[in-house]
Amino acid sequence: MTDLASRAVQDGSWFGIFGREVVVLVPARERPRVAELWAAVDDGARFEEVLDLLVSGGLRAVHDFVLVAAAGSAARVLVRGAASVSVHSHLRPAEVRAGDRVWAEESFNEVFSMVATLPDSGATGAEVDAPAGLRRVGSVSWGTNPVAAPVPEPAFAPVTQPVIEPVPEPVPVSEPVSEPAQTPVPVPAPIPSGPMTAPLVAGLEPLPADAEPPTWGQPEAAAFSADAETGEQPPVDHDGMTQSSAAHLSPPPLPGIPGQPQPPAVTSHPVARLVFSHGSTVAVDRVILIGRAPEARRFAPSDQPQLVTVPSPHQEISSTHLEVRPGSGVDHAMAVATDLGSTNGTMLMQPGLPPEDLKPGIAVQLIPGAIIDLGDGVTIQVTRP
Amino acid sequence: MRAVELHHGAATDVGHVRTVNEDAFLVAPPVFVVADGMGGHAGGDVASATAVQELGRLADAGFDSHSGAQAVVAALVRCQARLREYAAMQPGDAQHAGTTAVVALLVSDPEGPRWLLANVGDSRVYRLGPHGLDQLSVDHSVVQELLDTGRITEQEAAGHPERHVITRALSALEAPEPDFFLVPLPAAERLLLCSDGVSGMVPDATIEHLLRESPDPRDAAERLVQAALAAGGRDNATAVVVDVVGLVKDDAYDSARQRLSLVTKLGALP
């Protein structure tokens, strides 16, 4: 089912050298060496041969690179420098990151998907397929891409199975609690109360970006009562009973925290990237609504939310379960997550913080390296964009 | 992608009070529209017919949710341009002619088919799902805004003197500002699009009952309009009912039984 041979990339400043199984990623300053690397990879050089070539000038000559060999669902990942690769396998999600070591190398089996996050790569644009060849890249992902994600079954069809024959839970929900022990991640010092922001949604209804929180509408309320008096159609000629108030009302109140900058509906650069355990990856540059059968309510065409459907054979995940969006104010340039009143709740594991149950309607800042557990074995790893 | 079949029915009536039916509707799978014109002899019927015509052009092309939203906006912009031309050629206050529009467009996203819904004004789209009747659209009306700000209650809204005053419309004067909604198909097995001649005359409980008790969407639409007439018929009344069938086509022979047994086993779907 999973095949790591399918690769998708975004544009950026790094060089990606894509062989059939071996992939080398080097920053822009390694340009003089890219041709010989491509020649080697194209000739079918193995992992070790490519590594030899990469360090042929001595370790001090090359500060950053990512070397991946992937075949079927097995992968071998070596990272030097500031880049990182997050790996989703049948085990818990893992991140390969060198930190202050010479490099980090790990092997994985039964991998669903991997994402390489490259520092200062200026990743932009949509993901496109990356067949063998040499190209500029900003980020690279292996495995099931979003387009190939399975079409969700009708909600009622798959449920019969668990009723008849309960499938043992492959990923114990409590397990990732010990997770943050993974490789240290440089994070902005988390202030315990910092990530909490005021409620963004008023009720349990999944509200998209421009839905109106009913309580913050004073300016507009004042505006329309004036309009209603002066702006009505002359009653003589209207047809049916529908009338238009001729003058236009002030625009509906924007969501957000009063007195703080409005959250941008769509940001020009993603503030984070979400790596889903079922294989897809999504950049957080707009409101993202995640659930078993997510729906978006009341949005303008310019800020259309992205809907991400996740499999939930046991129906533990609510239809519209979680919202992730670019933050504003103190959360600027960070992603924030809000549980939208889901039935079974959302668990958040942040590096350096105790695991936390998201409170419905309360937005929480996401630190890179955070893992969100929606239940039913679905986890979302938050990485740098 | 799984084949999705749409069954539909539509009905409209001028009502007991008005002399002209200024409502218009369109059933052209995958596009469904109800438009409620206003402006009397200033051309409300022209406005609603224009909206329906322009939105009808979306029937042939296939869309995903992004291109679909752009296409709906483009159709409404074309509609406004035509209304402006019409107003320029008419004497009198034809520029006050306007219309509401509520649109349901079936789009296919990589993750599967979805309903892209859009509305301008106070015509509504409801869905009948396993959990009951759910109003998906949010009216652009003075009363809705009073409700949103908590100044009046649902009961007060029903009899509010300004309940027919809408805050957004499609006309020569106003740039179209539709709100969009995106819902998955399994959550919306039956959609109802209607003008306020139906939703304003028939209580929600009755709408739900009629939708549930009429398996054929044509009967459902007909009965809803009849109910609006029976309740007084003070406005033009239009209903379009769309059923999504084929979602369980793979195992259609026992899908009804399967669904039933699930509800029996679980009590209710989560």
Side-chain angles (χ1 to χ4, degrees):
Chain A
M1 183 185 88
T2 310
D3 191 4
L4 298 176
S6 73
R7 300 171 297 220
V9 299
Q10 281 183 295
D11 269 343
S13 64
W14 279 50
F15 287 101
I17 297 142
F18 295 87
R20 231 165 49 78
E21 292 177 359
V22 172
V23 174
V24 187
L25 308 174
V26 292
R29 61 176 177 274
E30 303 291 343
R31 185 156 176 251
R33 308 188 51 203
V34 162
E36 63 169 341
L37 284 166
W38 164 239
V41 168
D42 192 37
D43 283 344
R46 314 294 305 170
F47 189 87
E48 286 84 358
E49 298 171 69
V50 181
L51 182 56
D52 260 353
L53 191 56
L54 275 166
V55 299
S56 58
L59 268 178
R60 271 175 300 177
V62 51
H63 297 286
D64 293 277
F65 63 81
V66 174
L67 175 57
V68 173
S73 63
R76 187 172 169 191
V77 180
L78 192 152
V79 176
R80 174 165 167 80
S84 68
V85 176
S86 41
V87 179
H88 273 290
S89 65
H90 68 295
L91 300 171
R92 60 186 174 78
E95 184 139 7
V96 183
R97 185 186 283 277
D100 48 10
R101 291 173 292 168
V102 172
W103 62 43
E105 185 191 350
E106 276 187 74
S107 295
F108 301 89
N109 285 312
E110 295 182 50
V111 176
F112 306 132
S113 63
M114 299 189 291
V115 177
T117 307
L118 309 172
D120 307 319
S121 65
T124 55
E127 290 202 323
V128 296
D129 278 344
L134 170 62
R135 63 183 302 151
R136 292 272 193 179
V137 297
S139 74
V140 182
S141 60
W142 288 260
T144 335
N145 58 40
V147 178
V151 176
E153 291 296 312
F156 36 79
V159 190
T160 43
Q161 282 174 338
V163 174
I164 299 161
E165 168 187 285
V167 182
E169 207 37 81
V171 182
V173 175
S174 60
E175 198 220 21
V177 173
S178 58
E179 237 288 315
Q182 61 177 197
T183 38
V185 181
V187 292
I191 308 153
S193 63
M196 293 294 202
T197 56
L200 285 179
V201 289
L204 303 186
E205 203 67 289
L207 291 173
D210 68 337
E212 298 173 31
T215 42
W216 299 328
Q218 296 85 348
E220 150 251 31
F224 77 70
S225 51
D227 280 338
E229 287 169 12
T230 59
E232 263 182 54
Q233 294 283 323
V236 275
D237 277 338
H238 71 77
D239 67 307
M241 304 174 77
T242 309
Q243 308 169 0
S244 169
S245 67
H248 221 43
L249 298 179
S250 60
L254 293 163
I257 302 151
Q260 288 198 0
Q262 293 298 336
V266 177
T267 53
S268 53
H269 295 291
V271 296
R273 178 181 283 272
L274 304 180
V275 183
F276 289 82
S277 54
H278 66 279
S280 59
T281 68
V282 174
V284 184
D285 60 353
R286 64 190 65 230
V287 172
I288 295 164
L289 296 167
I290 301 154
R292 177 165 50 80
E295 56 182 80
R297 295 201 170 192
R298 205 169 189 187
F299 57 87
S302 56
D303 57 8
Q304 181 158 2
Q306 182 166 2
L307 305 186
V308 179
T309 307
V310 294
S312 181
H314 301 85
Q315 309 250 333
E316 287 174 17
I317 299 176
S318 293
S319 52
T320 311
H321 192 112
L322 181 78
E323 179 203 78
V324 179
R325 65 154 83 207
S328 66
V330 291
D331 298 325
H332 179 70
M334 304 290 284
V336 295
T338 312
D339 182 286
L340 299 169
S342 66
T343 309
N344 293 316
T346 305
M347 183 69 87
L348 174 65
M349 274 77 65
Q350 306 244 50
L353 288 173
E356 148 179 39
D357 240 334
L358 292 189
K359 291 174 192 64
I362 309 284
V364 176
Q365 194 185 79
L366 296 174
I367 300 166
I371 291 169
I372 305 167
D373 191 336
L374 299 180
D376 241 346
V378 173
T379 55
I380 308 166
Q381 188 164 15
V382 182
T383 68
R384 292 170 192 287
Chain B
M1 190 178 85
R2 213 183 306 253
V4 175
E5 223 177 289
L6 299 174
H7 291 183
H8 51 80
T12 186
D13 198 288
V14 66
H16 296 320
V17 178
R18 307 288 150 191
T19 52
V20 181
N21 191 346
E22 296 190 330
D23 283 4
F25 68 85
L26 172 80
V27 283
V31 189
F32 301 87
V33 182
V34 166
D36 178 355
M38 63 209 155
H41 62 235
D45 50 345
V46 174
S48 60
T50 307
V52 158
Q53 261 182 25
E54 289 299 335
L55 288 162
R57 295 180 196 215
L58 308 182
D60 298 330
F63 294 105
D64 65 20
S65 55
H66 285 272
S67 63
Q70 305 302 335
V72 168
V73 172
L76 298 181
V77 168
R78 285 199 303 272
C79 174
Q80 189 200 11
R82 282 180 57 183
L83 289 179
R84 218 181 276 142
E85 283 172 27
Y86 172 80
M89 293 190 307
Q90 298 292 315
D93 56 355
Q95 61 177 350
H96 289 301
T99 182
T100 72
V102 58
V103 187
L105 173 65
L106 189 75
V107 296
S108 52
D109 277 343
E111 291 182 322
R114 289 182 170 128
W115 279 119
L116 177 70
L117 310 170
N119 82 309
V120 181
D122 65 350
S123 296
R124 288 181 179 175
V125 53
Y126 292 88
R127 99 178 136 198
L128 184 70
H131 309 296
L133 186 72
D134 186 5
Q135 182 185 333
L136 294 171
S137 59
V138 182
D139 292 353
H140 299 135
S141 68
V142 166
V143 164
Q144 180 66 44
E145 295 188 350
L146 289 170
L147 274 172
D148 283 352
T149 50
R151 293 181 169 202
I152 58 170
T153 63
E154 295 271 355
Q155 286 77 33
E156 290 168 326
H160 197 276
E162 284 171 352
R163 66 185 178 279
H164 301 294
V165 181
I166 61 176
T167 53
R168 291 191 211 173
L170 210 54
S171 73
L173 299 173
E174 295 172 70
E177 267 188 90
D179 276 339
F180 284 91
F181 306 80
L182 206 48
V183 299
L185 286 194
E189 287 178 274
R190 175 169 269 189
L191 285 186
L192 164 66
L193 281 67
C194 63
S195 63
D196 68 338
V198 172
S199 55
M201 303 296 297
V202 186
D204 279 6
T206 312
I207 293 180
E208 177 171 358
H209 176 77
L210 291 172
L211 285 174
R212 254 194 221 298
E213 299 307 312
S214 316
D216 190 317
R218 293 166 293 189
D219 294 344
E222 199 60 53
R223 284 177 197 165
L224 283 164
V225 169
Q226 290 309 320
L229 294 177
R234 287 198 298 275
D235 198 353
N236 306 149
T238 303
V240 170
V241 177
V242 189
D243 285 350
V244 177
V245 290
L247 279 171
V248 287
K249 213 164 207 172
D250 302 347
D251 48 4
Y253 70 97
D254 68 350
S255 59
R257 199 181 36 182
Q258 204 174 35
R259 228 178 304 176
L260 194 67
S261 67
L262 250 184
V263 175
T264 326
K265 281 174 192 158
L266 301 178
L269 293 172

